[in-house]
Amino acid sequence: MEDYCITYNDWKPEEQKLREALCTLGNGYFATRGAAEESSNDAHNYPGTYLAGGFNRATTEISGKRIENEDFVNFPNWLCLNFRPEGGEWMDLNQFKVHEYTQSLDMKKGLLIRAFRVEDSQGRCTHIQSRRLVSMHDMHLAGIEWQLTAENWSRDIELYTALDGTVTNAGVERYADLESQHLEPLNTREVDDESLLLMVRTRQSKYAVALGARTCIYHQNSKIDTLKETHQREGYIDQKHRFKLTQGEPYVIEKMVALYTSRDRASAEPSLEVCKDLKRMGRFKKIWLPHINAWEKLWRRADIGVIDGDKTQELLRLHIFHILQTVSLHSIGLDVGVPSRGLHGEAYRGHIFWDEIYIFPFLNLRFPEITYALLMYRYHRLDEARYAARQAGYKGAMFPWQSGSNGREESQEMHLNPKSGRWKPDDTHLQRHVNAAIAYNIWNYYQATDDIAFLSNFGAEMFFSIASFWASRVTYDEARDLYEIHGVVGPDEYHTSYPDSEKLGLNNNAYTNVMVAWLMQKALHIKDRIQKSRVRELMNDLNIDQQELSLWEAISKKMFVPFGENNLILQFDGYEDLKEFPWEAYRKKYDNIQRLDRVLESENDSPNRYKASKQADVLMLFYLFNLEQLKEIFRNLGHDFTQEMMERNIEYYKARTSHGSTLSRFVFSWILYKYDKKTAWQNFEKLLISDFEDIQGGTTEEGIHLGAMAGSLDLIQRVFTGIEVTEEALWIKPDLPEHVQKINLQIKYRHHWIAISVDHDKLRIAFEEGYSNKVNIGVLDQIHTFSQGEVRTFDMSGR
Ligand code: BGC
């Protein structure tokens, strides 16, 4: 691994699917896994192409029940490229001798590069060097360039190029019993003698996709004539080029690809646009240069430099790279959310969960325009959320736990436990706390950007609708004179109901309750912040009267929080009655108990019976709010909150969490940092490699974990560099781990670009440019006013 490069120096078929996910290339509009061009779906390879928002619904019968899922469609494979010496075998790295093999992901340039020498059964050696890109400049373009040299043979060669629309969804083994046919063929056609066109459509969502590929061969920089033969069948078109090849001479093969869909803007019709591009796009180099340039601009804004003498830098860049390939400046023109597993695989069906809460902090301070677009994804689904609330008997808007195309609830009804082979109902959809995460994200976007227009036009409407939902969702307990929330599931997905109860949901999940109290108070704050006339409009449109506003206030002060002995915040009412889990015995019995839910279900048991959590739940509060904010929230609720209390709770739940979600390590690393740097660092190291080394054993190959990736970056900026955005100023209170020598980054804070560089001796802040003259930056505990162009250095050595 070099700073911007991940390199694999061997061909390891068994690792190929993981590498494919990690070497995915994308531009926020579409992405293609880093599968070998010559491969097709088999035990070790899974070429997959996904479009942002590319969903399709299908029904399957499982255990006598018809269930509908909205899946993330695997669109046609455009990679297909292969060769054989006339009469020989098509190249297959699993059959050929592979003498040298390197595969590297050049993240600076957004290129996937392979270089290898193979020998077929006749002893013919061929060297191939390939470069691939999915253009970050023009989101519709992609290309492959092969340089092929026959080292010890010279005869006719056949080159095979194709567009394959016969693919199905087969990337996740657990989903194998579900309907996997999402595409129907529409059309194949030869556009001219070197260009092919394929058109398909998703079966239910009628998403039409046109793909075009132009394949040309060059020798000594001139295009050579080849003998061509094109074949077409339903959903598939290929072309064979035959030409005479001279030993030792490099031949360059370029496959240039264009992709359009029926949902594009500024488009007459997808196949027409494809044909237009095929004619105009020129050679590989012509799309390569603006693509590299686009990446250069992105890196200038997004890079986070960390010097620690270890692999941290490369891994952080890998995380930045994949975030920007999943959501990019192209997302602004699309109606898409941020899928928790990227555009890198089919796991979680491309759905949008609450993971935004982990991803937005990185985007807010660099690409707030992307966060804006992603928040608008929610806004455009507000009506569906209103309908869901109404159907459930509530007011306002109830956003779904898993969201897809139109914003209805997309959580699967049944899921397969691969450990037991049993299909079980999925009980996690009652995670209504997503309706606090969205509010939290709106507020924090506003804090980072000062975008009052967004807050007033869209944010407040979502915020108030969510507040209205919760106001109708709480129950009032007269004896306690407090509000309660019953029948929900908290972030910890291991607890979905009380032991042996048929009824789903738990009462008073502490995290949810506190978040709701917080959001009520913020809703009232926003009401005072935006124009009075807009407030009147909203109250009228959303049917909110003074009485309801008083209820919001009452809830913000009188929300019940379950406490146990010694100030322990109980995860939910009745948590104290659960049994302690025999952690040691299970660690001995199983290699990996991260997914304790699957282990226990396979033993006909359930985590519902134990004090065992999948991920941070109560502790999420200590990640989302700092100590001062927590003190205020709890004070409002009539409780004292102290650092000691926080530490006690962390210690308690730390011993009872299996980290069955990659998000958990991140939160633990964050919350432990202030008082147990060693364990925090250990968690951070695990977090960094969680996808790169696939620490959950087989999940990364189904898609990366974007929340955890973004979380690692957020730790650098908000914990180690100590950046905190508050109402009055941007605070910077560095607290570098001893392993880290230096951090360099730049952020966009309320229209200003600020460059920050910190080591153990000094902190350098440069107010580089912006749209106004002055900005308040708090360093340690004093606020300084910076003018444009000003650079100041602060002494950190005494800290
Ligand atoms: C976690 C959720 C998360 C989801 C998608 C689950 O395993 O428990 O918190 O939202 O994955 O990343």
Side-chain angles (χ1 to χ4, degrees):
M1 227 191 202
E2 288 165 34
D3 270 3
Y4 283 93
C5 252
I6 290 183
T7 304
Y8 301 100
N9 285 314
D10 49 8
W11 170 250
K12 271 200 184 154
E14 66 284 5
E15 267 190 25
Q16 190 54 16
K17 285 191 180 173
L18 170 62
R19 294 180 185 181
E20 285 176 354
L22 294 170
C23 292
T24 295
L25 294 180
N27 56 21
Y29 171 68
F30 82 100
T32 297
R33 289 163 62 85
E37 290 89 23
E38 69 282 2
S39 72
S40 49
N41 174 17
D42 60 26
H44 301 304
N45 304 280
Y46 190 69
T49 288
Y50 307 95
L51 280 152
F55 297 110
N56 186 64
R57 290 179 184 161
T59 306
T60 312
E61 194 167 314
I62 298 281
S63 319
K65 210 176 153 204
R66 285 180 71 71
I67 53 167
E68 188 183 73
N69 280 308
E70 184 163 81
D71 277 323
F72 200 40
V73 177
N74 179 19
F75 283 93
N77 181 16
W78 56 272
L79 299 176
C80 326
L81 193 64
N82 207 346
F83 83 95
R84 65 175 174 191
E86 192 201 359
E89 312 114 270
W90 293 106
M91 175 176 65
D92 179 347
L93 298 200
N94 290 328
Q95 304 299 326
F96 283 25
K97 276 193 198 140
V98 181
H99 291 299
E100 285 157 28
Y101 187 89
T102 16
Q103 173 171 330
S104 44
L105 180 69
D106 180 338
M107 299 182 278
K108 189 152 202 175
K109 301 195 173 104
L111 287 177
L112 178 60
I113 303 165
R114 294 200 301 155
F116 51 96
R117 278 181 70 230
V118 283
E119 183 183 331
D120 69 7
S121 58
Q122 311 294 308
R124 284 178 291 222
C125 289
T126 310
H127 183 269
I128 292 181
Q129 179 156 339
S130 91
R131 295 192 296 177
R132 182 194 305 174
L133 64 85
V134 169
S135 176
M136 193 47 102
H137 169 72
D138 183 335
M139 64 184 184
H140 299 286
L141 305 185
I144 301 169
E145 180 205 67
W146 268 20
Q147 185 172 302
L148 183 148
T149 313
E151 293 189 340
N152 59 357
W153 56 280
S154 184
R155 63 185 304 155
D156 272 9
I157 174 174
E158 267 185 307
L159 189 91
Y160 182 86
T161 174
L163 293 170
D164 181 3
T166 65
V167 296
T168 58
N169 269 43
V172 178
E173 225 177 287
R174 292 185 304 289
Y175 303 166
D177 288 347
L178 301 170
E179 177 57 61
S180 61
Q181 184 72 51
H182 294 290
L183 296 178
E184 58 191 18
L186 286 184
N187 186 13
T188 52
R189 159 160 83 84
E190 217 176 353
V191 179
D192 56 42
D193 74 335
E194 53 199 22
S195 307
L196 311 175
L197 179 90
L198 165 79
M199 240 184 126
V200 296
R201 186 169 61 186
T202 51
R203 290 166 84 187
Q204 169 272 330
S205 54
K206 306 293 176 211
Y207 206 130
V209 173
L211 268 157
R214 194 192 64 213
T215 309
C216 300
I217 295 133
Y218 303 86
H219 181 228
Q220 294 174 346
N221 222 12
S222 305
K223 198 195 285 188
I224 59 169
D225 272 339
T226 61
L227 204 64
K228 302 176 187 78
E229 210 181 287
T230 302
H231 293 102
Q232 307 180 38
R233 59 185 156 93
E234 275 219 323
Y236 196 98
I237 181 162
D238 67 65
Q239 190 174 47
K240 283 197 195 96
H241 291 245
R242 179 191 288 232
F243 58 100
K244 175 113 190 87
L245 174 135
T246 312
Q247 181 179 337
E249 297 273 327
Y251 288 77
V252 173
I253 296 137
E254 293 185 356
K255 181 171 184 180
M256 308 303 295
V257 171
L259 185 159
Y260 280 81
T261 82
S262 51
R263 309 217 175 153
D264 293 332
R265 288 184 182 185
S267 159
E269 185 276 324
S271 67
L272 188 146
E273 300 301 331
V274 163
C275 295
K276 186 185 80 184
D277 275 8
L278 287 176
K279 282 211 179 63
R280 291 183 189 172
M281 73 178 146
R283 291 194 59 178
F284 187 81
K285 201 165 166 200
K286 201 166 155 217
I287 68 164
W288 183 54
L289 292 175
H291 163 74
I292 294 182
N293 194 18
W295 267 111
E296 208 178 292
K297 283 190 274 182
L298 290 177
W299 280 116
R300 221 175 290 139
R301 284 168 77 169
D303 198 19
I304 296 186
V306 173
I307 302 176
D308 76 340
D310 209 343
K311 285 202 307 217
T312 308
Q313 180 68 81
E314 294 86 333
L315 291 167
L316 291 174
R317 287 196 173 130
L318 180 73
H319 297 177
I320 296 172
F321 185 67
H322 284 309
I323 293 171
L324 294 178
Q325 295 201 111
T326 306
V327 285
S328 74
L329 296 171
H330 299 301
S331 313
I332 296 167
L334 309 170
D335 174 31
V336 296
V338 51
S340 61
R341 305 297 288 273
L343 303 177
H344 297 57
E346 287 149 31
Y348 287 140
R349 306 184 167 86
H351 292 170
I352 293 99
F353 296 64
W354 72 322
D355 302 38
E356 297 163 329
I357 205 167
Y358 303 90
I359 298 164
F360 287 176
F362 171 77
L363 294 174
N364 281 343
L365 292 175
R366 285 163 192 81
F367 302 98
E369 51 285 63
I370 299 181
T371 317
Y372 177 96
L374 299 170
L375 287 170
M376 289 307 283
Y377 163 85
R378 295 292 190 181
Y379 183 78
H380 293 309
R381 283 145 188 84
L382 191 50
D383 268 341
E384 192 60 30
R386 288 189 177 115
Y387 175 76
R390 233 176 15 251
Q391 285 299 99
Y394 305 114
K395 225 191 132 198
M398 180 174 88
F399 284 94
W401 169 235
Q402 295 189 30
S403 185
S405 61
N406 68 355
R408 75 162 199 199
E409 179 60 75
E410 299 295 352
S411 295
Q412 68 273 38
E413 287 172 55
M414 309 273 282
H415 68 164
L416 178 73
N417 178 2
K419 221 171 166 67
S420 67
R422 284 192 287 254
W423 283 90
K424 291 289 198 187
D426 187 307
D427 296 338
T428 59
H429 64 276
L430 282 181
Q431 290 186 71
R432 299 285 174 240
H433 63 82
V434 64
N435 288 284
I438 295 171
Y440 181 89
N441 294 337
I442 292 168
W443 177 250
N444 283 287
Y445 164 78
Y446 168 64
Q447 285 292 287
T449 58
D450 203 21
D451 186 352
I452 191 82
F454 167 79
L455 190 66
S456 172
N457 292 331
F458 311 110
E461 187 176 348
M462 286 193 271
F463 213 111
F464 292 178
S465 304
I466 289 172
S468 254
F469 159 67
W470 283 116
S472 65
R473 181 69 178 74
V474 298
T475 47
Y476 176 65
D477 183 294
E478 254 175 64
R480 281 180 168 152
D481 184 25
L482 290 174
Y483 293 94
E484 303 196 342
I485 300 173
H486 295 172
V488 295
V489 171
D492 164 28
E493 299 194 329
Y494 284 176
H495 292 97
T496 50
S497 59
Y498 288 102
D500 309 319
S501 163
E502 291 290 302
K503 202 163 158 234
L504 268 191
L506 302 156
N507 297 341
N508 294 316
N509 168 252
Y511 168 76
T512 308
N513 286 19
V514 173
M515 289 304 286
V516 170
W518 170 84
L519 80 83
M520 289 301 176
Q521 184 253 325
K522 271 299 171 249
L524 294 167
H525 184 70
I526 292 174
K527 184 188 134 283
D528 293 339
R529 178 61 64 96
I530 60 176
Q531 280 169 307
K532 296 277 161 296
S533 55
R534 179 66 183 142
V535 173
R536 278 196 299 276
E537 272 173 25
L538 285 171
M539 286 180 62
N540 191 37
D541 294 351
L542 306 178
N543 201 14
I544 298 167
D545 56 16
Q546 287 302 330
Q547 211 183 337
E548 180 168 341
L549 293 183
S550 309
L551 179 59
W552 291 6
E553 180 154 12
I555 296 171
S556 78
K557 293 186 177 141
K558 289 184 168 194
M559 177 60 85
F560 172 67
V561 182
F563 275 95
E565 280 171 15
N566 294 327
N567 281 332
L568 183 73
I569 303 175
L570 298 175
Q571 198 169 302
F572 47 83
D573 254 356
Y575 177 86
E576 70 276 39
D577 300 331
L578 304 184
K579 287 170 46 166
E580 287 289 356
F581 183 71
W583 293 96
E584 273 324 303
Y586 271 73
R587 281 195 185 107
K588 277 198 195 119
K589 192 163 162 196
Y590 294 95
D591 290 344
N592 188 334
I593 56 162
Q594 280 175 305
R595 288 306 302 262
L596 205 54
D597 52 339
R598 291 181 180 164
V599 169
L600 290 176
E601 194 278 328
S602 72
E603 296 180 345
N604 297 318
D605 200 349
S606 156
N608 273 325
R609 301 196 320 123
Y610 303 98
K611 291 175 177 160
S613 304
K614 178 180 181 186
Q615 66 205 93
D617 193 295
V618 169
L619 302 187
M620 275 300 294
L621 295 171
F622 311 160
Y623 152 59
L624 296 179
F625 304 108
N626 66 26
L627 186 60
E628 291 315 308
Q629 291 165 328
L630 287 165
K631 281 184 179 168
E632 196 195 319
I633 297 169
F634 277 90
R635 195 181 314 119
N636 250 336
L637 294 171
H639 304 283
D640 283 338
F641 189 87
T642 60
Q643 166 89 23
E644 190 271 323
M645 226 172 116
M646 182 155 112
E647 289 175 15
R648 231 198 79 69
N649 277 279
I650 295 174
E651 284 306 318
Y652 180 87
Y653 287 107
K654 189 173 83 176
R656 291 165 180 81
T657 303
S658 80
H659 302 296
S661 158
T662 51
L663 299 172
S664 195
R665 293 256 174 230
F666 158 62
V667 178
F668 271 84
S669 181
W670 185 291
I671 59 182
L672 283 167
Y673 192 69
K674 283 267 175 299
Y675 76 101
D676 179 1
K677 290 213 167 25
K678 191 166 161 242
T679 320
W681 185 259
Q682 285 164 355
N683 274 286
F684 178 66
E685 285 184 315
K686 264 258 155 65
L687 171 72
L688 276 180
I689 54 160
S690 60
D691 269 332
F692 186 62
E693 292 187 7
D694 187 21
I695 60 167
Q696 290 197 330
T699 65
T700 302
E701 64 184 48
E702 302 168 344
I704 54 163
H705 299 81
L706 220 56
M709 285 192 166
S712 68
L713 303 164
D714 198 21
L715 262 159
I716 304 284
Q717 66 175 9
R718 291 203 286 157
V719 177
F720 302 168
T721 312
I723 295 172
E724 198 182 328
V725 179
T726 66
E727 298 234 58
E728 81 270 22
L730 169 76
W731 287 95
I732 306 174
K733 300 175 186 169
D735 187 3
L736 248 56
E738 58 180 88
H739 307 75
V740 172
Q741 284 122 48
K742 189 169 186 166
I743 297 175
N744 288 317
L745 51 85
Q746 55 167 343
I747 57 167
K748 192 175 190 180
Y749 163 70
R750 299 188 184 165
H751 316 294
H752 312 293
W753 276 106
I754 295 160
I756 303 167
S757 164
V758 59
D759 60 26
H760 291 275
D761 296 324
K762 55 186 185 314
L763 164 68
R764 182 181 179 277
I765 301 174
F767 174 16
E768 299 206 314
E769 52 177 334
Y771 299 115
S772 88
N773 281 334
K774 299 237 160 65
V775 58
N776 279 346
I777 304 182
V779 179
L780 306 178
D781 31 50
Q782 205 189 328
I783 294 187
H784 306 259
T785 304
F786 277 68
S787 304
Q788 213 166 138
E790 199 172 328
V791 181
R792 285 198 226 169
T793 304
F794 299 85
D795 184 16
M796 292 284 126
S797 54
R799 289 184 31 88

